Amino acid sequence: MSSLKKLCLLACLGLSLSVKMDSYKQGEAFDKCITIADWEGKELGDDITLSDRDSNGCCPTGTVPGVKHYSKYVGAQVVCGFKSDGTLSFSTSKSNGVATCTYNQCYVWKQNIECASGHQRLNGCCAAKDDCATNNCGFKDGCKNYAYSMTNAHGDKSEYCLTYNKNYKMEYTSDTSDDQKDGALDITKVYQYTACEDDHDHDHDHDHDSTTTTGSTTTTGSTCDVSGIPVEACEDDHDHDHDHDSTTTTGSTTTTGSTCDVSGITSKYTTCATNALTDMGKQCDCISTFVGDYGKCGGAYKDACESAIATYKKSFTSCNWDGMSCDSTSGAVSFGVSWLMVLASMVATFWFA
């Protein structure tokens, strides 16, 4: 009997709905709600209690449906937001105290990554929220992570993680039309950074041609990463363990060796900030990453980095500015457009549009 049939039977009989997420098939559709305590603390093989969504499509207070799939990353073990056309959308709203939710399709994405202690939790992390941070969340060596938070329709916060293999490239294809088939998610079709090693046989084929063309720059295999965060136009080992000899022209600036993609950094920040318009904490995270990108671009970018901090301080006063600096850079660089004009335009777009 499938997991869905078992759930329906239990619900019809009015019995407690206690299941193991490992009982679901890989990629199976999921339309229930998981308590935040189970989401953050339980593994695939643990018993958890599920609940139904309400008539407005929302999970009850203290629960989550999973988390919106973060494009190009393997993340939590239940991911949502998949539309029939291959796009991603996940939204919640509240009016006169009534919440309305559109999670779109959610799927089970079993990974069961082995942690330093035990196995990965349902939220994709290897440690409790208080002990989990980016690249410091109980994963084994070679498995990198980001730690993020989400807020449900009732204002309840929960944590989730994104993971990727230290030695990574883009896997599979960017065509989303084949990601979903027969009511299930085929994780071997989803475009993603190389996943960490797991305890499930996903039939991964790592012999892929990873040549990527971005704008006028073509990169093959691993190339460059200026920030420690994989970006679409610049795919490389996050810790820069490889010796690269790469030359990239960006606007009027050319750098050799350690490549800095100005337009890519700006585009990444724009996407991050747009997705966090109502979350000041995440806005600050976006800015911190943005500043860090330039701080790691090399000596020639110190002035640009310091200009970014000075400008953002005026509009985002609540961020932890003591944690952001350009100390790793020195010197100056001339950009093809005014840096302050670019930032002013961004601020106006995000806060006054």
Side-chain angles (χ1 to χ4, degrees):
M1 184 182 293
S2 70
S3 298
L4 181 59
K5 290 180 179 178
K6 291 177 183 177
L7 295 178
C8 290
L9 177 60
L10 287 171
C12 291
L13 294 175
L15 301 177
S16 175
L17 209 57
S18 180
V19 301
K20 293 178 172 64
M21 288 304 297
D22 206 23
S23 67
Y24 281 80
K25 295 178 181 178
Q26 182 66 281
E28 186 173 342
F30 182 80
D31 64 356
K32 298 296 179 180
C33 305
I34 305 169
T35 66
I36 291 176
D38 287 346
W39 176 248
E40 295 180 340
K42 297 294 184 68
E43 300 176 8
L44 284 176
D46 293 331
D47 286 318
I48 64 171
T49 300
L50 301 181
S51 57
D52 292 322
R53 302 175 188 177
D54 64 23
S55 59
N56 291 320
C58 294
C59 283
T61 299
T63 70
V64 295
V67 67
K68 180 183 178 183
H69 173 59
Y70 202 111
S71 182
K72 300 175 186 168
Y73 284 91
V74 178
Q77 300 192 85
V78 179
V79 288
C80 302
F82 292 89
K83 299 180 69 174
S84 59
D85 63 0
T87 60
L88 293 169
S89 180
F90 181 104
S91 64
T92 62
S93 62
K94 205 164 192 177
S95 177
N96 296 322
V98 179
T100 302
C101 305
T102 304
Y103 303 139
N104 287 302
Q105 188 60 62
C106 299
Y107 295 105
V108 175
W109 189 328
K110 297 192 288 188
Q111 302 148 53
N112 206 35
I113 295 171
E114 187 174 356
C115 305
S117 176
H119 286 80
Q120 179 189 35
R121 303 169 187 216
L122 299 180
N123 66 350
C125 303
C126 264
K129 180 167 57 177
D130 293 342
D131 299 317
C132 182
T134 294
N135 289 330
N136 185 19
C137 192
F139 290 94
K140 286 191 170 183
D141 291 344
C143 185
K144 299 291 192 177
N145 80 279
Y146 297 113
Y148 290 131
S149 66
M150 62 175 286
T151 304
N152 68 10
H154 310 287
D156 305 317
K157 287 194 172 183
S158 59
E159 186 178 55
Y160 69 97
C161 290
L162 307 178
T163 55
Y164 60 94
N165 197 298
K166 179 179 178 180
N167 299 311
Y168 74 91
K169 61 183 178 181
M170 294 309 302
E171 306 281 357
Y172 314 119
T173 69
S174 58
D175 179 11
T176 60
S177 65
D178 59 357
D179 292 354
Q180 302 170 81
K181 184 178 180 181
D182 298 329
L185 180 70
D186 185 348
I187 66 168
T188 67
K189 301 291 186 181
V190 180
Y191 197 44
Q192 60 189 268
Y193 292 103
T194 304
C196 296
E197 295 297 324
D198 56 44
D199 282 352
H200 282 272
D201 182 8
H202 292 163
D203 297 324
H204 286 267
D205 175 11
H206 293 292
D207 296 326
H208 300 294
D209 180 0
S210 59
T211 301
T212 303
T213 301
T214 307
S216 61
T217 303
T218 300
T219 59
T220 303
S222 294
T223 53
C224 70
D225 174 20
V226 298
S227 66
I229 297 178
V231 290
E232 184 173 3
C234 193
E235 300 159 2
D236 181 28
D237 183 285
H238 295 238
D239 286 338
H240 303 281
D241 289 336
H242 301 298
D243 294 324
H244 302 295
D245 182 14
S246 55
T247 301
T248 300
T249 301
T250 307
S252 60
T253 305
T254 301
T255 60
T256 303
S258 179
T259 308
C260 190
D261 179 7
V262 175
S263 62
I265 292 171
T266 302
S267 175
K268 182 173 64 177
Y269 168 74
T270 301
T271 300
C272 181
T274 300
N275 290 334
L277 284 179
T278 60
D279 188 333
M280 180 56 71
K282 199 158 187 179
Q283 284 284 343
C284 292
D285 290 341
C286 294
I287 295 167
S288 177
T289 297
F290 185 64
V291 170
D293 287 357
Y294 278 102
K296 296 177 182 179
C297 275
Y301 289 83
K302 183 178 181 181
D303 282 3
C305 180
E306 291 180 343
S307 293
I309 290 180
T311 301
Y312 280 126
K313 277 184 177 180
K314 297 176 183 178
S315 299
F316 301 92
T317 57
S318 63
C319 295
N320 177 21
W321 295 106
D322 292 338
M324 304 183 207
S325 75
C326 306
D327 291 342
S328 62
T329 62
S330 61
V333 65
S334 174
F335 291 94
V337 296
S338 168
W339 180 246
L340 294 179
M341 287 178 64
V342 172
L343 292 180
S345 174
M346 288 181 182
V347 172
T349 298
F350 297 143
W351 296 111
F352 303 107

Short mmCIF file of all heavy atoms in Angstrom, two decimals, residues 136-186:
data_model
loop_
_atom_site.label_atom_id
_atom_site.label_comp_id
_atom_site.label_asym_id
_atom_site.label_seq_id
_atom_site.Cartn_x
_atom_site.Cartn_y
_atom_site.Cartn_z
N ASN A 136 29.01 25.02 9.14
CA ASN A 136 29.29 24.61 10.52
C ASN A 136 28.00 24.05 11.12
O ASN A 136 27.39 24.62 12.01
CB ASN A 136 29.78 25.80 11.35
CG ASN A 136 30.20 25.39 12.75
OD1 ASN A 136 30.46 24.23 13.02
ND2 ASN A 136 30.24 26.36 13.66
N CYS A 137 27.59 22.89 10.58
CA CYS A 137 26.29 22.34 10.95
C CYS A 137 26.34 20.82 11.11
O CYS A 137 25.35 20.13 10.89
CB CYS A 137 25.24 22.74 9.91
SG CYS A 137 23.53 22.41 10.41
N GLY A 138 27.50 20.30 11.48
CA GLY A 138 27.59 18.87 11.78
C GLY A 138 27.75 17.95 10.59
O GLY A 138 27.67 16.73 10.74
N PHE A 139 27.97 18.52 9.38
CA PHE A 139 28.19 17.66 8.21
C PHE A 139 29.62 17.14 8.21
O PHE A 139 30.53 17.75 8.78
CB PHE A 139 27.93 18.44 6.93
CG PHE A 139 26.48 18.76 6.70
CD1 PHE A 139 25.95 19.96 7.11
CD2 PHE A 139 25.65 17.83 6.09
CE1 PHE A 139 24.61 20.26 6.92
CE2 PHE A 139 24.30 18.11 5.90
CZ PHE A 139 23.78 19.33 6.31
N LYS A 140 29.83 16.02 7.54
CA LYS A 140 31.17 15.47 7.41
C LYS A 140 32.00 16.30 6.44
O LYS A 140 31.46 17.07 5.63
CB LYS A 140 31.11 14.03 6.93
CG LYS A 140 30.64 13.04 7.99
CD LYS A 140 30.85 11.60 7.54
CE LYS A 140 30.63 10.63 8.67
NZ LYS A 140 30.91 9.24 8.25
N ASP A 141 33.32 16.13 6.52
CA ASP A 141 34.21 16.84 5.61
C ASP A 141 33.82 16.54 4.16
O ASP A 141 33.51 15.40 3.82
CB ASP A 141 35.67 16.41 5.84
CG ASP A 141 36.22 16.90 7.17
OD1 ASP A 141 35.60 17.80 7.75
OD2 ASP A 141 37.26 16.37 7.61
N GLY A 142 33.85 17.56 3.35
CA GLY A 142 33.51 17.39 1.94
C GLY A 142 32.08 17.76 1.62
O GLY A 142 31.73 17.93 0.45
N CYS A 143 31.25 17.89 2.65
CA CYS A 143 29.85 18.30 2.44
C CYS A 143 29.68 19.71 2.97
O CYS A 143 29.79 19.95 4.18
CB CYS A 143 28.90 17.34 3.15
SG CYS A 143 27.14 17.71 2.82
N LYS A 144 29.43 20.64 2.09
CA LYS A 144 29.26 22.05 2.46
C LYS A 144 27.78 22.37 2.65
O LYS A 144 26.92 21.69 2.10
CB LYS A 144 29.84 22.95 1.36
CG LYS A 144 31.34 22.75 1.12
CD LYS A 144 32.14 23.23 2.31
CE LYS A 144 33.62 23.31 1.99
NZ LYS A 144 34.39 23.85 3.12
N ASN A 145 27.50 23.41 3.42
CA ASN A 145 26.09 23.75 3.64
C ASN A 145 25.87 25.24 3.85
O ASN A 145 26.80 25.99 4.20
CB ASN A 145 25.56 23.01 4.86
CG ASN A 145 25.95 23.70 6.17
OD1 ASN A 145 27.07 23.51 6.66
ND2 ASN A 145 25.04 24.48 6.75
N TYR A 146 24.65 25.65 3.61
CA TYR A 146 24.15 26.96 4.00
C TYR A 146 23.01 26.72 4.97
O TYR A 146 22.26 25.74 4.82
CB TYR A 146 23.64 27.76 2.80
CG TYR A 146 24.72 28.07 1.80
CD1 TYR A 146 24.69 27.50 0.53
CD2 TYR A 146 25.76 28.93 2.12
CE1 TYR A 146 25.69 27.78 -0.39
CE2 TYR A 146 26.76 29.20 1.21
CZ TYR A 146 26.72 28.63 -0.05
OH TYR A 146 27.71 28.90 -0.95
N ALA A 147 22.85 27.59 5.95
CA ALA A 147 21.76 27.48 6.91
C ALA A 147 20.85 28.70 6.77
O ALA A 147 21.31 29.84 6.88
CB ALA A 147 22.31 27.40 8.34
N TYR A 148 19.57 28.46 6.48
CA TYR A 148 18.61 29.54 6.27
C TYR A 148 17.39 29.32 7.16
O TYR A 148 17.17 28.24 7.70
CB TYR A 148 18.15 29.57 4.82
CG TYR A 148 19.19 30.03 3.84
CD1 TYR A 148 19.44 29.31 2.67
CD2 TYR A 148 19.94 31.19 4.07
CE1 TYR A 148 20.39 29.73 1.76
CE2 TYR A 148 20.89 31.61 3.16
CZ TYR A 148 21.12 30.89 2.01
OH TYR A 148 22.05 31.31 1.11
N SER A 149 16.58 30.36 7.30
CA SER A 149 15.33 30.24 8.04
C SER A 149 14.17 30.59 7.14
O SER A 149 14.32 31.32 6.15
CB SER A 149 15.34 31.16 9.27
OG SER A 149 15.36 32.53 8.88
N MET A 150 13.01 30.06 7.45
CA MET A 150 11.79 30.37 6.73
C MET A 150 10.70 30.68 7.76
O MET A 150 10.79 30.27 8.91
CB MET A 150 11.35 29.20 5.85
CG MET A 150 11.03 27.93 6.61
SD MET A 150 10.37 26.59 5.59
CE MET A 150 8.71 27.17 5.29
N THR A 151 9.69 31.42 7.33
CA THR A 151 8.57 31.77 8.21
C THR A 151 7.27 31.31 7.56
O THR A 151 7.02 31.61 6.39
CB THR A 151 8.51 33.29 8.46
OG1 THR A 151 9.76 33.74 8.99
CG2 THR A 151 7.39 33.64 9.43
N ASN A 152 6.45 30.57 8.31
CA ASN A 152 5.20 30.08 7.72
C ASN A 152 4.11 31.15 7.77
O ASN A 152 4.33 32.28 8.23
CB ASN A 152 4.76 28.77 8.37
CG ASN A 152 4.32 28.95 9.82
OD1 ASN A 152 4.16 30.05 10.33
ND2 ASN A 152 4.12 27.82 10.50
N ALA A 153 2.91 30.81 7.33
CA ALA A 153 1.82 31.78 7.23
C ALA A 153 1.39 32.32 8.59
O ALA A 153 0.75 33.37 8.68
CB ALA A 153 0.63 31.14 6.53
N HIS A 154 1.76 31.62 9.66
CA HIS A 154 1.35 32.02 11.01
C HIS A 154 2.47 32.73 11.76
O HIS A 154 2.33 33.02 12.96
CB HIS A 154 0.90 30.78 11.79
CG HIS A 154 -0.09 29.95 11.05
ND1 HIS A 154 -1.40 30.33 10.87
CD2 HIS A 154 0.05 28.76 10.40
CE1 HIS A 154 -2.04 29.42 10.16
NE2 HIS A 154 -1.18 28.45 9.85
N GLY A 155 3.59 32.99 11.09
CA GLY A 155 4.70 33.69 11.72
C GLY A 155 5.67 32.79 12.46
O GLY A 155 6.57 33.28 13.14
N ASP A 156 5.50 31.47 12.33
CA ASP A 156 6.42 30.53 12.99
C ASP A 156 7.68 30.36 12.15
O ASP A 156 7.60 30.06 10.95
CB ASP A 156 5.75 29.16 13.16
CG ASP A 156 4.43 29.24 13.90
OD1 ASP A 156 4.37 29.98 14.90
OD2 ASP A 156 3.46 28.58 13.47
N LYS A 157 8.83 30.52 12.77
CA LYS A 157 10.09 30.37 12.05
C LYS A 157 10.65 28.97 12.19
O LYS A 157 10.48 28.31 13.22
CB LYS A 157 11.11 31.39 12.57
CG LYS A 157 10.84 32.81 12.12
CD LYS A 157 12.03 33.72 12.37
CE LYS A 157 11.81 35.09 11.75
NZ LYS A 157 12.97 35.98 11.92
N SER A 158 11.31 28.52 11.15
CA SER A 158 11.97 27.21 11.18
C SER A 158 13.23 27.30 10.33
O SER A 158 13.39 28.21 9.52
CB SER A 158 11.05 26.11 10.66
OG SER A 158 10.64 26.40 9.33
N GLU A 159 14.12 26.35 10.52
CA GLU A 159 15.40 26.36 9.81
C GLU A 159 15.44 25.27 8.74
O GLU A 159 14.77 24.25 8.86
CB GLU A 159 16.55 26.15 10.80
CG GLU A 159 17.93 26.29 10.15
CD GLU A 159 19.06 26.12 11.16
OE1 GLU A 159 19.07 25.07 11.84
OE2 GLU A 159 19.92 27.00 11.25
N TYR A 160 16.22 25.51 7.72
CA TYR A 160 16.49 24.48 6.72
C TYR A 160 17.89 24.70 6.18
O TYR A 160 18.49 25.78 6.35
CB TYR A 160 15.46 24.52 5.58
CG TYR A 160 15.52 25.73 4.68
CD1 TYR A 160 16.22 25.69 3.46
CD2 TYR A 160 14.89 26.92 5.03
CE1 TYR A 160 16.26 26.80 2.63
CE2 TYR A 160 14.93 28.02 4.21
CZ TYR A 160 15.62 27.96 3.01
OH TYR A 160 15.67 29.06 2.19
N CYS A 161 18.45 23.70 5.54
CA CYS A 161 19.81 23.78 5.01
C CYS A 161 19.84 23.44 3.52
O CYS A 161 19.03 22.65 3.03
CB CYS A 161 20.74 22.81 5.76
SG CYS A 161 21.09 23.30 7.46
N LEU A 162 20.80 24.02 2.83
CA LEU A 162 21.16 23.64 1.47
C LEU A 162 22.52 22.98 1.55
O LEU A 162 23.36 23.38 2.36
CB LEU A 162 21.24 24.87 0.57
CG LEU A 162 20.04 25.81 0.54
CD1 LEU A 162 20.33 27.00 -0.38
CD2 LEU A 162 18.79 25.07 0.07
N THR A 163 22.76 21.97 0.74
CA THR A 163 24.03 21.27 0.77
C THR A 163 24.59 21.08 -0.63
O THR A 163 23.85 21.09 -1.62
CB THR A 163 23.88 19.88 1.43
OG1 THR A 163 22.85 19.14 0.76
CG2 THR A 163 23.53 20.01 2.90
N TYR A 164 25.90 20.90 -0.71
CA TYR A 164 26.56 20.62 -1.98
C TYR A 164 27.91 20.00 -1.70
O TYR A 164 28.51 20.21 -0.62
CB TYR A 164 26.72 21.89 -2.82
CG TYR A 164 27.54 22.97 -2.15
CD1 TYR A 164 28.91 23.08 -2.36
CD2 TYR A 164 26.94 23.87 -1.27
CE1 TYR A 164 29.66 24.06 -1.75
CE2 TYR A 164 27.68 24.85 -0.65
CZ TYR A 164 29.03 24.94 -0.88
OH TYR A 164 29.78 25.92 -0.25
N ASN A 165 28.39 19.23 -2.63
CA ASN A 165 29.68 18.57 -2.50
C ASN A 165 30.81 19.56 -2.69
O ASN A 165 30.74 20.43 -3.54
CB ASN A 165 29.79 17.46 -3.55
CG ASN A 165 30.88 16.47 -3.23
OD1 ASN A 165 32.05 16.82 -3.17
ND2 ASN A 165 30.51 15.21 -3.04
N LYS A 166 31.84 19.44 -1.88
CA LYS A 166 32.98 20.35 -1.98
C LYS A 166 33.56 20.35 -3.39
O LYS A 166 33.95 21.39 -3.92
CB LYS A 166 34.06 19.93 -0.97
CG LYS A 166 35.30 20.80 -1.02
CD LYS A 166 36.32 20.33 0.02
CE LYS A 166 37.59 21.17 -0.06
NZ LYS A 166 38.59 20.74 0.93
N ASN A 167 33.58 19.19 -4.02
CA ASN A 167 34.05 19.08 -5.40
C ASN A 167 32.82 18.97 -6.30
O ASN A 167 32.28 17.89 -6.47
CB ASN A 167 34.95 17.86 -5.56
CG ASN A 167 36.18 17.93 -4.68
OD1 ASN A 167 36.87 18.95 -4.67
ND2 ASN A 167 36.44 16.89 -3.93
N TYR A 168 32.38 20.08 -6.80
CA TYR A 168 31.10 20.06 -7.49
C TYR A 168 31.16 20.64 -8.89
O TYR A 168 32.12 21.30 -9.29
CB TYR A 168 30.07 20.89 -6.68
CG TYR A 168 30.31 22.37 -6.79
CD1 TYR A 168 29.69 23.13 -7.78
CD2 TYR A 168 31.16 23.02 -5.91
CE1 TYR A 168 29.93 24.48 -7.90
CE2 TYR A 168 31.40 24.37 -6.02
CZ TYR A 168 30.78 25.11 -7.01
OH TYR A 168 31.03 26.44 -7.12
N LYS A 169 30.10 20.37 -9.61
CA LYS A 169 29.84 20.97 -10.91
C LYS A 169 28.33 20.96 -11.08
O LYS A 169 27.60 20.48 -10.21
CB LYS A 169 30.51 20.17 -12.02
CG LYS A 169 30.02 18.71 -12.13
CD LYS A 169 30.78 17.94 -13.21
CE LYS A 169 30.30 16.49 -13.28
NZ LYS A 169 31.04 15.71 -14.29
N MET A 170 27.84 21.48 -12.18
CA MET A 170 26.41 21.41 -12.43
C MET A 170 26.06 20.02 -12.98
O MET A 170 26.72 19.53 -13.89
CB MET A 170 25.98 22.48 -13.44
CG MET A 170 26.12 23.90 -12.92
SD MET A 170 25.36 24.19 -11.29
CE MET A 170 23.65 23.74 -11.61
N GLU A 171 25.05 19.40 -12.37
CA GLU A 171 24.64 18.06 -12.76
C GLU A 171 23.31 18.11 -13.51
O GLU A 171 22.44 18.93 -13.22
CB GLU A 171 24.46 17.18 -11.52
CG GLU A 171 25.66 17.12 -10.58
CD GLU A 171 26.74 16.17 -11.07
OE1 GLU A 171 26.53 15.52 -12.12
OE2 GLU A 171 27.79 16.08 -10.41
N TYR A 172 23.17 17.20 -14.47
CA TYR A 172 21.94 17.03 -15.25
C TYR A 172 21.69 18.24 -16.15
O TYR A 172 22.65 18.88 -16.57
CB TYR A 172 20.77 16.70 -14.32
CG TYR A 172 21.16 15.64 -13.31
CD1 TYR A 172 21.13 15.89 -11.94
CD2 TYR A 172 21.64 14.40 -13.73
CE1 TYR A 172 21.54 14.92 -11.02
CE2 TYR A 172 22.05 13.44 -12.83
CZ TYR A 172 22.01 13.70 -11.47
OH TYR A 172 22.43 12.76 -10.58
N THR A 173 20.44 18.57 -16.44
CA THR A 173 20.19 19.62 -17.42
C THR A 173 19.31 20.72 -16.85
O THR A 173 18.57 20.51 -15.89
CB THR A 173 19.49 19.06 -18.68
OG1 THR A 173 18.14 18.68 -18.33
CG2 THR A 173 20.23 17.83 -19.21
N SER A 174 19.38 21.90 -17.45
CA SER A 174 18.57 23.03 -16.99
C SER A 174 17.15 22.98 -17.52
O SER A 174 16.31 23.81 -17.14
CB SER A 174 19.23 24.35 -17.42
OG SER A 174 19.39 24.39 -18.83
N ASP A 175 16.84 22.02 -18.37
CA ASP A 175 15.50 21.86 -18.90
C ASP A 175 14.59 21.32 -17.79
O ASP A 175 14.80 20.22 -17.29
CB ASP A 175 15.52 20.89 -20.08
CG ASP A 175 14.14 20.64 -20.69
OD1 ASP A 175 13.20 21.39 -20.32
OD2 ASP A 175 14.00 19.73 -21.52
N THR A 176 13.58 22.10 -17.40
CA THR A 176 12.71 21.68 -16.30
C THR A 176 11.50 20.86 -16.75
O THR A 176 10.74 20.37 -15.91
CB THR A 176 12.19 22.91 -15.54
OG1 THR A 176 11.45 23.75 -16.44
CG2 THR A 176 13.36 23.71 -14.96
N SER A 177 11.34 20.70 -18.06
CA SER A 177 10.14 20.03 -18.56
C SER A 177 10.08 18.55 -18.20
O SER A 177 9.01 17.93 -18.21
CB SER A 177 10.03 20.19 -20.08
OG SER A 177 11.11 19.53 -20.74
N ASP A 178 11.25 17.95 -17.88
CA ASP A 178 11.26 16.52 -17.56
C ASP A 178 11.49 16.24 -16.08
O ASP A 178 11.65 15.10 -15.67
CB ASP A 178 12.33 15.80 -18.39
CG ASP A 178 13.73 16.36 -18.17
OD1 ASP A 178 13.88 17.34 -17.41
OD2 ASP A 178 14.68 15.81 -18.76
N ASP A 179 11.48 17.28 -15.24
CA ASP A 179 11.74 17.09 -13.81
C ASP A 179 10.60 16.33 -13.12
O ASP A 179 10.82 15.57 -12.18
CB ASP A 179 11.93 18.44 -13.11
CG ASP A 179 13.21 19.14 -13.55
OD1 ASP A 179 13.99 18.54 -14.30
OD2 ASP A 179 13.41 20.30 -13.14
N GLN A 180 9.37 16.57 -13.58
CA GLN A 180 8.19 15.93 -12.99
C GLN A 180 7.54 15.01 -14.02
O GLN A 180 7.35 15.38 -15.17
CB GLN A 180 7.18 16.98 -12.55
CG GLN A 180 7.74 17.99 -11.55
CD GLN A 180 6.79 19.15 -11.33
OE1 GLN A 180 5.83 19.03 -10.57
NE2 GLN A 180 7.05 20.26 -11.98
N LYS A 181 7.22 13.81 -13.56
CA LYS A 181 6.59 12.86 -14.46
C LYS A 181 5.70 11.91 -13.67
O LYS A 181 6.12 11.40 -12.62
CB LYS A 181 7.65 12.06 -15.23
CG LYS A 181 7.09 11.11 -16.26
CD LYS A 181 8.21 10.39 -17.01
CE LYS A 181 7.63 9.44 -18.06
NZ LYS A 181 8.72 8.71 -18.79
N ASP A 182 4.51 11.69 -14.15
CA ASP A 182 3.57 10.75 -13.52
C ASP A 182 3.35 11.06 -12.04
O ASP A 182 3.30 10.18 -11.18
CB ASP A 182 4.07 9.31 -13.67
CG ASP A 182 4.18 8.89 -15.13
OD1 ASP A 182 3.38 9.38 -15.94
OD2 ASP A 182 5.07 8.07 -15.45
N GLY A 183 3.24 12.35 -11.74
CA GLY A 183 2.94 12.77 -10.37
C GLY A 183 4.09 12.66 -9.40
O GLY A 183 3.89 12.73 -8.18
N ALA A 184 5.31 12.51 -9.89
CA ALA A 184 6.48 12.38 -9.02
C ALA A 184 7.61 13.28 -9.53
O ALA A 184 7.60 13.73 -10.68
CB ALA A 184 6.94 10.93 -8.97
N LEU A 185 8.57 13.53 -8.65
CA LEU A 185 9.75 14.32 -9.01
C LEU A 185 10.91 13.37 -9.31
O LEU A 185 11.24 12.51 -8.50
CB LEU A 185 10.14 15.24 -7.85
CG LEU A 185 11.36 16.14 -8.08
CD1 LEU A 185 11.04 17.22 -9.11
CD2 LEU A 185 11.81 16.79 -6.77
N ASP A 186 11.50 13.52 -10.48
CA ASP A 186 12.67 12.72 -10.84
C ASP A 186 13.91 13.52 -10.48
O ASP A 186 14.32 14.42 -11.20
CB ASP A 186 12.65 12.41 -12.34
CG ASP A 186 13.77 11.47 -12.76
OD1 ASP A 186 14.70 11.24 -11.94
OD2 ASP A 186 13.73 10.97 -13.91
#
